[in-house]
Amino acid sequence: MIKIKSKLLLFFVAILCCTQSFSQAKGNLFIIGGGTRTPQLMRTMLATANLSSKDYIVVLPMATEEPDTAFYYFKISVDTLCKNVLVKFNFTAKDTNNQSWLDSVKNAKLIFITGGDQSRFMNIVLHTPVQQAIKQAYKNGATIGGTSAGAAMMSRYMLTGNQLLGDTTYESTFPKLWYKNIEIKEGLGLLDSAIIDQHFVARSRYNRLFSAVAQFPSLPCIGIDESTAIIVHGNNVTVAGESQVIVYTHPKNLTVTQKGLIKFDDIEMHIYTAGDTFQLK
């Protein structure tokens, strides 16, 4: 049996997080677990952004292969709720230095990242001026919203949804609880202190998130269901929407068998609904 070196993991995470922490950012994260964006959820996001009549909304649809469609449906979801200008910037690898677009991103009061494939988005923006522009906007007070793939990429450690062991055919949940079976890549890094999964209850992604817990036992792992969001301001989190948010923390005596199977004695599990609050440490 292999004992997980949790203290070393804590040290490793702490070192990485100290490189750039956003716990003191002035802005908010509005992280939606995918599914239908109800009018009430959109009202809550717009209220969180606290837009003035002069503010505009930037939509970043790079996670999807159909950016115009993604923009169209986002526009429909907010058209009757606000009159602010909406701007779509579909960055590619060729124009990540477009200064006019970058300035618009930096000065936006609300930035929304659509669903699709989180790896597709990050392959374009990782370690580019686009990522820095998003971070700067957040630091200065903007609300950064995202749904589905746009939710997963908010954290530093981004779940891609892919399995690395055995049959790696994509499945909504994982059929095995194996150590290091989940692919994790670098995300936007707006949220250092948690890992995010989406469509959580609707697609029964419990095994998938348990796999993340095993790799990052010091971090809360948050599963957000469809039509539901968490609103993050500093270390404070508020739940909004129709369904639930599940949080796993503090696995006890986490070990891995010689066959690579995950095991632990206990874990804290919290289920939150709209209006509930909790803190990230």
Side-chain angles (χ1 to χ4, degrees):
M1 186 179 295
I2 304 167
K3 184 71 176 179
I4 300 292
K5 302 295 185 180
S6 58
K7 289 185 179 179
L8 288 177
L9 283 171
L10 279 166
F11 176 78
F12 176 71
V13 170
I15 291 295
L16 284 178
C17 289
C18 283
T19 60
Q20 189 170 22
S21 174
F22 282 84
S23 61
Q24 300 304 314
K26 295 179 181 179
N28 307 286
L29 303 178
F30 199 92
I31 308 175
I32 306 171
T36 302
R37 297 191 293 268
T38 66
Q40 183 56 47
L41 196 61
M42 291 297 94
R43 285 191 194 96
T44 304
M45 185 178 72
L46 294 170
T48 300
N50 193 27
L51 301 170
S52 73
S53 59
K54 296 181 180 179
D55 291 320
Y56 57 91
I57 302 170
V58 164
V59 179
L60 301 178
M62 293 90 79
T64 177
E65 295 180 355
E66 299 179 344
D68 291 339
T69 301
F71 179 74
Y72 171 78
Y73 281 110
F74 178 79
K75 187 175 187 298
I76 286 178
S77 71
V78 299
D79 249 358
T80 61
L81 304 177
C82 74
K83 300 301 180 184
N84 297 78
V85 172
L86 272 66
V87 184
K88 171 173 65 73
F89 294 124
N90 186 35
F91 285 95
T92 68
K94 295 179 180 179
D95 49 32
T96 55
N97 288 295
N98 185 318
Q99 196 58 53
S100 176
W101 287 12
L102 293 170
D103 289 342
S104 293
V105 171
K106 288 179 186 178
N107 293 308
K109 194 70 178 292
L110 173 59
I111 299 169
F112 189 81
I113 304 171
T114 67
D117 181 341
Q118 51 266 45
S119 293
R120 176 186 173 88
F121 186 100
M122 292 308 304
N123 286 342
I124 295 170
V125 309
L126 185 63
H127 302 157
T128 71
V130 181
Q131 182 179 11
Q132 292 306 313
I134 296 169
K135 287 185 172 184
Q136 190 63 50
Y138 176 46
K139 185 176 181 180
N140 290 344
T143 293
I144 314 298
T147 186
S148 190
M153 68 183 72
M154 294 282 188
S155 53
R156 179 180 295 276
Y157 303 103
M158 179 184 77
L159 306 187
T160 68
N162 296 326
Q163 297 186 84
L164 299 176
L165 304 173
D167 183 355
T168 57
T169 303
Y170 178 82
E171 297 183 51
S172 289
T173 190
F174 286 8
K176 301 288 186 181
L177 285 174
W178 284 330
Y179 185 54
K180 291 188 176 179
N181 184 33
I182 188 167
E183 183 179 51
I184 297 177
K185 293 184 177 181
E186 186 176 351
L188 284 172
L190 302 177
L191 186 61
D192 284 334
S193 53
I195 289 176
I196 301 295
D197 204 351
Q198 71 278 14
H199 302 281
F200 194 72
V201 178
R203 300 187 186 179
S204 298
R205 286 180 164 167
Y206 306 95
N207 287 358
R208 194 163 98 166
L209 202 55
F210 276 136
S211 300
V213 168
Q215 285 186 231
F216 296 93
S218 64
L219 295 180
C221 292
I222 303 173
I224 309 171
D225 199 25
E226 296 180 353
S227 303
T228 307
I230 59 170
I231 307 164
V232 182
H233 183 76
N235 293 325
N236 299 309
V237 182
T238 303
V239 177
E242 303 294 311
S243 188
Q244 294 132 311
V245 171
I246 287 82
V247 181
Y248 296 141
T249 60
H250 303 112
K252 293 182 175 62
N253 300 321
L254 175 63
T255 56
V256 179
T257 71
Q258 292 296 334
K259 294 182 178 180
L261 299 177
I262 297 165
K263 58 188 295 184
F264 47 78
D265 291 335
D266 199 2
I267 194 169
E268 291 184 21
M269 175 179 172
H270 306 267
I271 303 178
Y272 299 107
T273 58
D276 290 338
T277 61
F278 60 95
Q279 284 199 323
L280 300 173
K281 296 182 180 179

